[in-house]
Amino acid sequence: MVRLPLTPAEIERGRRLGAVLRRTRGERPLLETALAAGISPETLRKIESGRVATPSFATIASVARVLGLSLDALWADVELQDAEAPGGLLGSETPGSHPALAS
């Protein structure tokens, strides 16, 4: 299967995701966090730096669990940053109104 190149928006979202995880990890050692999440320290380092812009759901769920961060809170933080960016959600959609997220 050929994977399409990531869009600039996807790359930026990955950078924001990594920044939120890094900020939430705080002073906790990267090695300890990665091992508790069942991933390699290098994988966590790449996610936090934005070099892995689209990590798997299972990976993010595991890291979030270790950090005590709900997936809802994590996504809200990433989306909030997206909405505040030029051309983001504000002015076009309100956060939480995305059709794919409607119940």
Side-chain angles (χ1 to χ4, degrees):
M1 178 173 136
V2 175
R3 185 173 178 159
L4 296 174
L6 297 175
T7 66
E10 289 170 325
I11 293 168
E12 178 59 22
R13 186 174 295 123
R15 186 198 63 73
R16 289 191 313 270
L17 172 65
V20 170
L21 292 175
R22 174 64 190 99
R23 184 176 64 241
T24 303
R25 183 168 59 82
E27 296 298 317
R28 185 173 183 171
L30 184 134
L31 177 63
E32 175 186 309
T33 304
L35 294 178
I39 63 173
S40 74
E42 185 59 22
T43 296
L44 182 55
R45 186 175 294 109
K46 287 178 180 179
I47 292 169
E48 287 185 354
S49 69
R51 290 185 308 185
V52 175
T54 58
S56 76
F57 175 80
T59 297
I60 293 305
S62 184
V63 173
R65 177 188 50 79
V66 168
L67 296 176
L69 184 62
S70 79
L71 292 174
D72 286 339
L74 176 59
W75 187 247
D77 202 359
V78 170
E79 284 290 295
L80 177 62
Q81 292 178 34
D82 193 30
E84 293 171 346
L89 293 175
L90 294 181
S92 62
E93 293 180 30
T94 56
S97 70
H98 192 282
L101 300 177
S103 347

